[in-house]
Amino acid sequence: MSQQQFNAGQTRGQAQEKAEQWTESAKQTAQSARDKTADLTHQAGDKAADLTQSARDKSADGSHSAKQSAQHNQEQAAGLFGQTGESVKNMAQGALDGVKNSLGMNEKK
C-alpha cells in the first residue's frame, strides 16, 4: 500500500505541476493579448488622429482655394462691370452727340 500511496502522491504532484504550468501559460497568453490590444488601440487612435488632421488640412486648403477662387471671380466681375459701364457711357455719349447734331447744337471748334 505504501508504494500505491507513493505513486498516487507522485501522480498528484505531477498533475498539480502541469496545472500550474497551464495556468501560468494562460496568464502569459492573456497578458500578451492585453498588450497587443493596447498597442492596436494606441495605433488606431494615432491613425484616427492623423486622418482627422489630414481632413482638417484638406478642409483648410479647400477653404483657402475657394476663397481665392471667389476673390478671382469677384475681380473678373468687377472688370466686366467696369467694361460694361464704359460701353454704356460711350453709347450714351454717342446718342447725345447724335441728338445734338440733329438739332444743330453740336459745337465743333
Side-chain angles (χ1 to χ4, degrees):
M1 196 68 95
S2 175
Q3 184 64 31
Q4 286 179 337
Q5 289 175 343
F6 175 76
N7 288 342
Q10 194 174 20
T11 302
R12 182 176 168 209
Q14 289 173 350
Q16 188 174 0
E17 185 179 340
K18 273 289 186 193
E20 288 174 6
Q21 288 174 353
W22 289 342
T23 302
E24 186 61 31
S25 177
K27 286 179 183 179
Q28 289 174 354
T29 301
Q31 184 60 45
S32 178
R34 281 193 294 267
D35 292 345
K36 286 181 181 178
T37 301
D39 287 345
L40 290 174
T41 301
H42 184 71
Q43 289 174 3
D46 289 347
K47 186 66 173 176
D50 291 346
L51 291 173
T52 301
Q53 187 59 45
S54 177
R56 284 182 186 143
D57 293 346
K58 286 180 181 178
S59 177
D61 290 345
S63 295
H64 181 69
S65 178
K67 184 177 179 180
Q68 285 180 330
S69 179
Q71 186 176 4
H72 177 72
N73 289 343
Q74 185 179 13
E75 290 169 358
Q76 284 184 327
L80 178 63
F81 288 134
Q83 290 173 354
T84 302
E86 190 66 31
S87 295
V88 169
K89 178 182 162 190
N90 288 338
M91 288 177 17
Q93 186 64 45
L96 180 62
D97 290 343
V99 171
K100 284 183 178 180
N101 283 339
S102 297
L103 298 175
M105 297 174 59
N106 197 3
E107 297 180 19
K108 291 185 180 179
K109 292 185 178 181

